[in-house]
Structures are given as C-alpha cells and as structure tokens.
Amino acid sequence: MEKVSIIVPFYNCPYIDQALESLVKQTYKNIEIIVVDDGSTLHLEKITPYLNQINYIKKENGGTATALNTGIIQATGTYFCWLSSDDVYDRKRIALQLKFMEIKQALFCYSNYCSINENNRIISPPLGINPLGQRELLKTMIKGNIINGCSVMVKMNVFQEVGLFDETLLYTHDYDLWLRIIQNFEAHYLNSVLLHYRIHDNMGTKRHHSVIQEEIKYVRKQHEASINKLISF
C-alpha cells in the first residue's frame, strides 16, 4: 500500500478540527497527516486532541506556500495531497483517488468538488471542470485556474521535475505550480465530489481579492509564451 502525505497549512483557522476529523476518518489508512502551523496564535486547542495522530510542525509565519513546502520536505509518502484547514475531505477521498491514479498510471490528478457554508451545508452543485484533452486544459488554464488545490493528488517525484510552490506568490502559488506541472505531465480528472470547499466571510479569496487578481496577471504572463507554444504544437 502506497503512503499518501496530506499537508494541512494552519493559520488561526476555527475550522481546523473539522478538517482533521475528515482526515483521521479516511477509509484508506496508510496516510501521514502533516499539520504545518504557520505562526498561529488562535484555535490551537482544536489541534490538541489530534496530536497523537498527526505530525505537527510549528514555524514562523511565512504564508501558505512556505507551509506547504515545509510539509512536502518533511513528507515520507509517495503521493502528495493538500487540505486547507477550513475545508473537508470525503471519507473515501484518498482511497478512490489513489485507486484512480494507479489505474491511469497518473502522476497528477484533480477531482470534482462542491462548496459548503460555515454550517457544513452544501451550497453549490459540483463545481469541477474537465476540459477534453491536454490541449484544451492548457488553453483553459492560461485564462484562469480551474483546479481546486485541495482536490489534487500528485506523485512526489513530480516536484523533482518542476520544483515546489513559489514562496514569493502569496495567493496564486497553486495556480503557478499547476501551470508548471501541466506543461510537463498529463493531468487526469476524477469526476467524483471528494472535497467540500468552505465559503465563509473570513476566507482569503474574499479578503485579498484585488491583490489576487494582480498576482493572477503576473502568473499568466510568466507562463503564456511557453503554454501558447505547446498549444500550437
């Protein structure tokens, strides 16, 4: 059984216990849960009940990309997954996605997902997008990020080829990494809702919207020429 490393960046998030509960209840048991505390001062008591089931790493505040990279460097699994501390996995997420990866012999995969509110009520239809073929995915992704980072499963050796998350990008480090990956590896889409993505007033995508839009433009500019070259082929 392959080991799957799940990195959970944590910074003052009141939903962290729900995220961790969804991990310890996974039907697939050969997982390691790495919680990277990015300088939190709040809600630490919600992690305490799980300390004997997780690898807990505390660091100075540096942003989500630094927390993810810290976790990846410490990870011992063959596969990488990421769970934001305000989101929740389906209990069969790791089992189903790993099986799919093995059948497809995939190195990079993302799944369908839906949104939930503060009270865990589903508030959206399935939101996953699956462009038909790698060329269409490249054309779609250079316009904007359609891949939810917490729906991704990546074989660890991919990072050796494309590098880790860019720590200079505060909000679009995931978009940048997926663009690097899909220029080198085929992306596979699993059309099962395996992630519940929480929408709430304090989420970063709401609070930092204007800064995020500027970062998106920067990331697009960095990759546009190389992706357009691949599309033209």
Side-chain angles (χ1 to χ4, degrees):
M1 290 175 65
E2 300 280 13
K3 183 191 286 186
V4 179
S5 300
I6 307 165
I7 315 301
V8 186
F10 168 62
Y11 181 72
N12 293 345
C13 179
Y15 303 103
I16 181 64
D17 53 336
Q18 296 181 44
L20 294 178
E21 190 67 17
S22 79
L23 297 184
V24 300
K25 287 186 174 176
Q26 286 296 299
T27 59
Y28 188 85
K29 296 304 180 185
N30 193 17
I31 63 173
E32 65 174 354
I33 303 164
I34 303 175
V35 176
V36 182
D37 180 345
D38 192 36
S40 293
T41 56
L42 300 172
H43 308 298
L44 294 164
E45 75 284 353
K46 296 190 175 188
I47 296 178
T48 304
Y50 300 94
L51 286 176
N52 65 341
Q53 297 170 281
I54 66 174
N55 180 2
Y56 178 73
I57 301 169
K58 190 166 181 66
K59 62 183 278 298
E60 291 185 2
N61 181 254
T64 304
T66 68
L68 287 166
N69 287 346
T70 297
I72 291 168
I73 291 165
Q74 295 292 323
T76 60
T78 309
Y79 292 87
F80 159 85
C81 288
W82 159 19
L83 180 60
S84 292
S85 50
D86 48 3
D87 296 340
V88 176
Y89 281 175
D90 180 275
R91 62 192 298 270
K92 294 182 179 179
R93 183 259 165 97
I94 299 299
L96 293 176
Q97 196 161 11
L98 182 59
K99 183 178 181 181
F100 179 81
M101 292 274 283
E102 291 173 343
I103 290 170
K104 296 288 187 179
Q105 295 185 311
L107 299 178
F108 179 72
C109 169
Y110 67 103
S111 81
N112 208 339
Y113 69 100
C114 65
S115 294
I116 57 173
N117 65 11
E118 295 96 330
N119 301 314
N120 296 312
R121 187 169 68 85
I122 294 173
I123 57 172
S124 78
L127 298 170
I129 298 173
N130 179 29
L132 296 176
Q134 194 73 1
R135 188 168 179 268
E136 287 303 312
L137 178 64
L138 287 165
K139 288 166 70 175
T140 303
M141 282 288 288
I142 199 58
K143 295 175 185 174
N145 187 15
I146 62 166
I147 297 174
N148 188 305
C150 296
S151 78
V152 159
M153 184 177 281
V154 187
K155 201 154 191 183
M156 284 289 187
N157 56 13
V158 167
F159 297 121
Q160 296 170 7
E161 296 291 325
V162 303
L164 298 176
F165 291 94
D166 184 343
E167 296 182 3
T168 67
L169 298 170
L170 290 178
Y171 307 109
T172 57
H173 45 274
D174 55 339
Y175 184 31
D176 168 73
L177 181 57
W178 312 151
L179 287 174
R180 280 185 274 139
I181 289 175
I182 65 175
Q183 290 179 72
N184 292 276
F185 301 97
E186 183 179 359
H188 294 260
Y189 176 72
L190 175 54
N191 190 18
S192 298
V193 174
L194 302 179
L195 170 72
H196 288 172
Y197 172 72
R198 194 182 304 276
I199 304 295
H200 57 94
D201 290 339
N202 202 38
M203 64 194 302
T205 50
K206 287 188 177 183
R207 290 187 292 119
H208 307 293
H209 179 76
S210 60
V211 179
I212 291 169
Q213 293 308 307
E214 290 304 310
E215 267 198 16
I216 288 170
K217 291 177 187 175
Y218 171 80
V219 170
R220 277 192 197 134
K221 190 174 180 181
Q222 296 297 110
H223 295 284
E224 203 162 25
S226 58
I227 283 184
N228 284 337
K229 189 174 179 181
L230 284 171
I231 290 169
S232 67
F233 285 154

